[in-house]
Amino acid sequence: RVAPVSYSQVAVDKIADWEGFREKPYMDAGSLRIGYGRKAKKGETTTSDKERGNLMTKVQDIGDWLDGVVTADLNANQKAALTSLVYNVGQGSFKKSKALKALNAGDMDEFRKQAFSKEQGWVKSKGKFIEGLHNRRKKEQALFFG
C-alpha cells in the first residue's frame, strides 16, 4: 500500500510549478522576488533545491496558520489549493476576506466566487486584471473542487 501524499507535498509541487523558478532576483508587483516568488535581496542568487526547502517550510507555516482560521473540513487537495492561494495573496488578505467567511459558513458557491472568479477572485494587481493570476486561480479552483 502506498501512503497518501501529504497536502504539503502537493502544495509545494503545485506552487513550484505555478510560480516558476528564478535563480536571480526579478520585479513582481513592485517588489524584488527570487526562487519560487519569495522576497529577495538585490544581487542574491539561489538554487532550486534550496528554494524547494524554503518553500516546504513556508507551506507548512501556512498550513498550520490555515488550521487556526479555517473551520471547514478540508481534504489534502483542498488544503493544498488554499495553501497556494494564501502563498500568493498573503495571510492578511485571506483572513479578512469574504472567501474565508463563505468557506467557514459552508457556502461553497460563494467561496468559489470570492476566491477564484474572474469578477471577484484574487485576479488583480493594483486594480488591474492579470491573466496569469486568473489562470492560477483556475488551477487552484480545479485542485480544490476536483
Side-chain angles (χ1 to χ4, degrees):
R1 228 174 90 183
V2 177
V5 177
S6 71
Y7 88 89
S8 56
Q9 191 57 60
V10 172
V12 166
D13 291 345
K14 297 293 186 185
I15 293 168
D17 183 39
W18 297 338
E19 287 281 341
F21 173 76
R22 307 241 188 117
E23 69 179 28
K24 294 184 174 145
Y26 63 97
M27 288 302 287
D28 184 29
S31 64
L32 207 53
R33 302 287 176 172
I34 196 168
Y36 297 108
R38 74 167 171 83
K39 287 189 172 144
K41 295 179 181 80
K42 194 172 181 181
E44 182 180 4
T45 59
T46 192
T47 65
S48 65
D49 284 349
K50 179 181 172 188
E51 293 306 321
R52 279 188 84 87
N54 289 340
L55 188 54
M56 179 58 84
T57 300
K58 182 72 176 170
V59 158
Q60 289 169 337
D61 289 347
I62 292 170
D64 291 346
W65 179 83
L66 283 169
D67 290 343
V69 298
V70 174
T71 58
D73 289 332
L74 302 173
N75 66 35
N77 282 350
Q78 289 171 325
K79 190 168 179 182
L82 276 187
T83 300
S84 173
L85 179 68
V86 171
Y87 181 83
N88 191 235
V89 306
Q91 292 174 344
S93 184
F94 186 73
K95 188 171 186 177
K96 64 185 180 198
S97 72
K98 291 178 182 173
L100 177 59
K101 285 183 186 71
L103 177 64
N104 284 341
D107 187 344
M108 290 302 155
D109 288 337
E110 186 63 16
F111 168 70
R112 181 191 308 258
K113 190 167 77 176
Q114 293 294 332
F116 305 119
S117 77
K118 188 172 185 176
E119 296 72 32
Q120 291 169 283
W122 280 282
V123 295
K124 293 180 179 175
S125 177
K126 299 181 178 164
K128 187 174 169 227
F129 176 79
I130 306 291
E131 192 68 40
L133 290 176
H134 182 236
N135 291 337
R136 180 162 174 168
R137 296 296 91 88
K138 287 193 286 192
K139 291 172 186 174
E140 290 163 347
Q141 177 177 281
L143 181 61
F144 191 93
F145 289 104

